[in-house]
Amino acid sequence: MLRKYIGITALSGLLLIGCGSLLGSCKSSPKSDLHQQENRESPPNIILIMADDQGWGDTGYNGHPNLLTPNLDKMAASGAIFERFYAAAPVCSPTRGSVMTGRHPLRYGICTANCGHIKQEEITLAELVKEKGYATGHFGKWHLGTLTRDTLDANRGGRAKFDGDYAPPWDNGFDVSFVTESKVPTWNPMITPPKSAEDVGDKLVEGESFQTFYWTGPGEIVTDNLEGDDSRVIMDRAIPFIENSVNQKKPFLTIIWFHTPHLPVLSGEEYKKPYANLSEDQQNYYGVMSALDLQVGRLRDKLEELGVAENTILFYTSDNGPEGKSVTGRTQGLTKGLKGRKRSLYEGGIRVPGIVEWKGKIAPGTKITAPSYTSDYFPTIANLLGVDIQPYNRPYDGVDLFPFIYGNQTQREQPLAFNFESQSALIEEDYKIYRKGPNSEFELYHIKNDPGETIDLAKKDPRKLEEMVKYWEDWNASVKRSEAGEDY
């Protein structure tokens, strides 16, 4: 059993696990069974890519009027697009925790950015795959705990009051790391940019240290090759890890969490050129997205060069919707007409790009209409590798995505539940409920027909509203039991 599995007792009450649960089913399709048999002989490599604050409308394939993302477009065309993919929360840290555990982040105390950490009792994705002999690497943003107790770093590192939040990737199953605690500028990531890049902070001085670091292990601060585009800086570390894993004939899990396009946003001149007829703010925003896209293309080309593209499954998404109250300044992200932005549980804050590519295994041009989200990655990968997660004896909020990817299942049985600060939401196949705060009434939308959330049906369909509110309340009670430590 895993290193962190320490005498977990059975849960009482609602068990929201994707396989064999009261609320979900994880029966393998014939293709899933075939893959599990193949994977025992040749385990697939797994790459999870995440952008930071990329909106639902911020890709070429989804109809952006200006942004060029040719490599994401190729990835989408050769694999599957999730037409309703969601981040588990409308800010970064909770969503990242859902990827790492398959569980809603409130179950282990990550309530928002810079709040809580991955607990030692949690079973991470890296620890799960290591049981199958995988090499594991994490590159880019971490934001699931601090990386140091003795050096002032970023938002919380090196401050005594946050010592309990020390939870670096190398203590959570990762063999190789190249990570920051939280945000950095998207150009020259260690250097404070001009105030025009936005969200720079009053105490930082342009041209001097941004007061954060890239770390590779305890006390190991990186000082070389940190200039220019940050997405390139990250990929420069991820590719050698992949090459080394291939050379050693080891399957690998590679997590690449870009900082782009999180503020402070600024780009290099070569990336801004295609947008020369637009405003300076647009040039910088679109430039950093083009730079990220270029690194996605570099990665895909490297997989082909190494001869492992057909044995590598590649996921892409964003941690939440676009920053800012509106499209202005350096917060140029688009929701493509969806209501809300980052920090909101309306669609614009949580519906994000979702792509999965597996050459020769997933049919090009596949479109998945069922709602899916970042908590689904963990059970999907577990089922892909033939790992039974039921013995872990804890609630999992995600389900296996492969029945949807292969078309064996078209409608999701287990709704997506959300709870962020004062907001609440639940999304099922056709409907969504949303509540602004505990003293507000739930709103009801036919989200499949009304993605803009323009017509509140709460008074017209009280029975449906009551049914969904009851589900959310039962789910939230389960979350509170988890938060109280009953899962361990």
Side-chain angles (χ1 to χ4, degrees):
M1 192 51 68
L2 296 173
R3 175 176 61 81
K4 291 186 181 178
Y5 181 58
I6 50 174
I8 302 168
T9 56
L11 291 174
S12 59
L14 197 62
L15 186 62
L16 296 174
I17 188 169
C19 302
S21 70
L22 297 175
L23 298 173
S25 174
C26 206
K27 295 179 181 178
S28 297
S29 67
K31 288 187 178 180
S32 294
D33 290 337
L34 177 61
H35 275 330
Q36 286 182 13
Q37 182 177 352
E38 290 176 347
N39 295 339
R40 281 191 285 271
E41 300 169 359
S42 180
N45 306 307
I46 302 161
I47 302 177
L48 298 173
I49 303 175
M50 182 179 284
D52 196 343
D53 294 357
Q54 182 182 10
W56 168 245
D58 286 341
T59 61
Y61 73 80
N62 207 14
H64 195 288
N66 298 305
L67 178 60
L68 304 174
T69 58
N71 294 294
L72 288 175
D73 298 350
K74 290 175 184 176
M75 182 180 169
S78 67
I81 299 172
F82 293 88
E83 296 190 333
R84 295 172 63 191
F85 197 80
Y86 294 89
V91 296
C92 53
S93 298
T95 296
R96 294 166 195 275
S98 74
V99 172
M100 203 64 68
T101 65
R103 288 155 49 82
H104 192 277
L106 285 182
R107 293 190 184 276
Y108 41 92
I110 297 182
C111 58
T112 186
N114 308 308
C115 169
H117 60 278
I118 288 283
K119 293 182 177 179
Q120 280 296 300
E121 296 89 348
E122 285 298 315
I123 299 164
T124 69
L125 192 54
E127 290 167 328
L128 181 143
V129 302
K130 280 177 77 71
E131 285 202 330
K132 293 293 185 178
Y134 276 66
T136 55
H138 196 291
F139 306 91
K141 189 175 184 178
W142 176 243
H143 223 180
L144 294 173
T146 65
L147 307 175
T148 177
R149 289 192 176 104
D150 53 21
T151 302
L152 288 178
D153 178 49
N155 297 321
R156 295 186 289 171
R159 297 159 180 85
K161 65 179 179 179
F162 296 120
D163 277 357
D165 288 320
Y166 180 76
W170 48 86
D171 283 354
N172 286 276
F174 289 96
D175 302 320
V176 176
S177 303
F178 174 76
V179 291
T180 64
E181 177 189 314
S182 51
K183 71 179 182 183
V184 297
T186 56
W187 182 265
N188 289 340
M190 301 292 99
I191 304 300
T192 300
K195 298 290 184 182
S196 59
E198 298 190 22
D199 198 25
V200 172
D202 296 333
K203 296 180 180 179
L204 299 176
V205 179
E206 180 181 345
E208 296 186 4
S209 171
F210 196 67
Q211 298 181 14
T212 192
F213 301 101
Y214 268 108
W215 300 79
T216 56
E220 298 174 1
I221 294 174
V222 179
T223 58
D224 66 307
N225 187 17
L226 299 173
E227 297 77 33
D229 177 64
D230 181 62
S231 296
R232 192 271 307 157
V233 168
I234 293 169
M235 194 60 74
D236 276 3
R237 272 64 179 202
I239 284 180
F241 167 78
I242 291 171
E243 290 175 326
N244 188 56
S245 300
V246 172
N247 290 337
Q248 293 184 358
K249 295 181 168 43
K250 289 197 70 171
F252 58 82
L253 167 71
T254 308
I255 294 182
I256 303 170
W257 286 352
F258 292 117
H259 296 97
T260 295
H262 192 295
L263 296 171
V265 169
L266 69 164
S267 186
E269 292 302 320
E270 63 267 39
Y271 303 111
K272 295 193 290 185
K273 284 181 181 178
Y275 311 107
N277 62 324
L278 302 175
S279 72
E280 182 68 16
D281 288 329
Q282 289 174 313
Q283 287 180 45
N284 277 282
Y285 186 87
Y286 299 151
V288 299
M289 286 305 306
S290 288
L292 180 155
D293 180 80
L294 184 66
Q295 296 307 315
V296 171
R298 178 184 171 195
L299 173 64
R300 294 176 71 246
D301 289 346
K302 178 57 69 172
L303 296 175
E304 291 283 355
E305 177 189 321
L306 294 172
V308 296
E310 293 188 356
N311 197 37
T312 302
I313 183 168
L314 183 62
F315 293 91
Y316 182 91
T317 191
S318 175
D319 60 351
N320 47 251
E323 177 65 272
K325 295 181 180 179
S326 62
V327 181
T328 185
R330 297 288 165 94
T331 59
Q332 291 289 324
L334 300 184
T335 66
K336 201 178 179 183
L338 300 179
K339 183 190 293 187
R341 296 172 72 84
K342 181 178 179 179
R343 301 178 187 85
S344 172
L345 287 180
Y346 281 123
E347 292 289 284
I350 51 176
R351 193 185 290 200
V352 290
I355 311 171
V356 57
E357 179 183 24
W358 193 357
K359 187 176 180 180
K361 302 292 196 305
I362 297 175
T366 298
K367 293 186 178 181
I368 301 159
T369 59
S372 310
Y373 70 155
T374 50
S375 294
D376 294 333
Y377 285 149
F378 189 99
T380 298
I381 292 169
N383 200 40
L384 181 67
L385 301 184
V387 178
D388 182 5
I389 60 178
Q390 289 193 65
Y392 301 160
N393 243 359
R394 58 190 61 190
Y396 282 88
D397 298 290
V399 301
D400 182 10
L401 292 172
F402 273 101
F404 303 104
I405 293 170
Y406 288 142
N408 303 100
Q409 186 176 342
T410 57
Q411 293 197 342
R412 188 182 183 111
E413 298 174 2
Q414 181 173 316
L416 317 181
F418 303 83
N419 187 356
F420 175 71
E421 295 184 332
S422 62
Q423 301 173 77
S424 313
L426 186 76
I427 297 172
E428 60 173 38
E429 187 69 29
D430 294 328
Y431 289 90
K432 174 180 177 179
I433 58 172
Y434 169 85
R435 183 175 66 179
K436 185 176 182 180
N439 297 321
S440 304
E441 296 294 326
F442 271 102
E443 302 161 11
L444 173 68
Y445 300 98
H446 195 292
I447 201 66
K448 199 167 188 177
N449 295 339
D450 180 23
E453 296 166 293
T454 61
I455 303 173
D456 182 1
L457 302 174
K459 293 183 179 179
K460 291 185 178 180
D461 198 345
R463 183 174 297 179
K464 185 63 181 178
L465 177 68
E466 182 181 2
E467 171 193 316
M468 293 185 70
V469 170
K470 177 62 167 60
Y471 188 107
W472 185 89
E473 289 174 342
D474 288 344
W475 171 83
N476 193 48
S478 170
V479 169
K480 289 186 180 300
R481 288 194 292 272
S482 297
E483 196 173 17
E486 294 186 20
D487 296 352
Y488 309 136

